[in-house]
C-alpha cells in the first residue's frame, strides 16, 4: 500500500502542471490572506469556501491522474507545436487539460488579489483586470473605491 502512494506521489510531483497548480494555490492563499488583512475582513465563510474550492482542485487532480492511467487520452495533437515547446509537455491528458484551467483560474485570482491589495503593476494590466473584474465579478464597487483613494 505504501508503495502505491510513493508511485502516485512520484508521478504527480514530477508533473509540471501539477506543480504549477500547487504553487498557484499557495500564492492565491497567501495573497487572499493579505487581502483579508488589508481589508480587515477575515470572513470564515469566504475562507471555508476558498478552502473547499482548493481542496476540490487537489482531489480533482488526483481523480484525473487515476482517470488518465485508466483511459489514456492524449490531446496533444490539438495544441500548436509552438505552445508545446513553451510549456514543455509531451502529453496532454485529462489531468493536464483541466490543470491548465485550474492554473488560469488561480492566476486570475492571484492578480485580482494583488490588484485589490494595491501591489504596483503595469497600467495596461490594471486596466485589463479592472475591466475583467467589473464584467465578471461583484467586486466592482471595491475597484471603484480603490481608484478614488
Amino acid at each position: 500500500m505504501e508503495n502505491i502512494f510513493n508511485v502516485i506521489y512520484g508521478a504527480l510531483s514530477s508533473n509540471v502542471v501539477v506543480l504549477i497548480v500547487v504553487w498557484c494555490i499557495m500564492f492565491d492563499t497567501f495573497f487572499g490572506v493579505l487581502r483579508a488583512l488589508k481589508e480587515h475582513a477575515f470572513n470564515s465563510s469566504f475562507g471555508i469556501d476558498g478552502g473547499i474550492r482548493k481542496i476540490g482542485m487537489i482531489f480533482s487532480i488526483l481523480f484525473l491522474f487515476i482517470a488518465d492511467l485508466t483511459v489514456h487520452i492524449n490531446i496533444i495533437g490539438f495544441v500548436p507545436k509552438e505552445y508545446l515547446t513553451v510549456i514543455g509537455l509531451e502529453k496532454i491528458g485529462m489531468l493536464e487539460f483541466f490543470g491548465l484551467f485550474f492554473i488560469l483560474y488561480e492566476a486570475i485570482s492571484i492578480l485580482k488579489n494583488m490588484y485589490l491589495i494595491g501591489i504596483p503593476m503595469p497600467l495596461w494590466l490594471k486596466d485589463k483586470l479592472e475591466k475583467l473584474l467589473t464584467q465578471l465579478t461583484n467586486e466592482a464597487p471595491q475597484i471603484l473605491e480603490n481608484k478614488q483613494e
Side-chain angles (χ1 to χ4, degrees):
M1 189 69 162
E2 186 177 314
N3 191 25
I4 292 172
F5 290 119
N6 288 339
V7 169
I8 291 172
Y9 175 76
L12 289 175
S13 65
S14 65
N15 186 312
V16 69
V17 173
V18 172
L19 294 175
I20 294 172
V21 168
V22 170
W23 276 103
C24 285
I25 287 172
M26 290 189 310
F27 278 120
D28 186 40
T29 303
F30 174 73
F31 285 116
V33 168
L34 286 180
R35 178 180 166 200
L37 287 171
K38 180 186 181 214
E39 295 175 356
H40 305 290
F42 261 109
N43 186 333
S44 61
S45 67
F46 278 118
I48 290 171
D49 288 347
I52 290 171
R53 191 175 305 116
K54 289 174 187 350
I55 290 170
M57 280 185 205
I58 292 169
F59 278 113
S60 295
I61 286 173
L62 290 172
F63 172 77
L64 291 166
F65 172 74
I66 293 168
D68 272 345
L69 290 176
T70 308
V71 180
H72 301 291
I73 292 176
N74 190 1
I75 60 168
I76 201 159
F78 295 106
V79 180
K81 291 184 194 253
E82 300 84 34
Y83 295 142
L84 293 175
T85 57
V86 171
I87 20 183
L89 293 176
E90 297 174 7
K91 168 189 167 284
I92 298 181
M94 290 183 288
L95 168 66
E96 291 81 12
F97 181 76
F98 286 100
L100 292 173
F101 285 110
F102 291 154
I103 291 167
L104 289 173
Y105 176 81
E106 289 294 311
I108 290 170
S109 181
I110 290 166
L111 289 171
K112 174 191 74 170
N113 285 329
M114 290 172 68
Y115 174 78
L116 293 173
I117 290 169
I119 293 176
M121 58 181 59
L123 188 58
W124 65 267
L125 182 58
K126 270 186 173 180
D127 292 340
K128 296 263 187 210
L129 280 171
E130 192 173 300
K131 184 177 178 184
L132 182 74
L133 294 175
T134 304
Q135 291 175 350
L136 300 178
T137 70
N138 60 354
E139 295 175 283
Q142 288 179 332
I143 293 169
L144 295 175
E145 288 173 14
N146 286 348
K147 269 193 147 178
Q148 293 172 354
E149 291 177 359

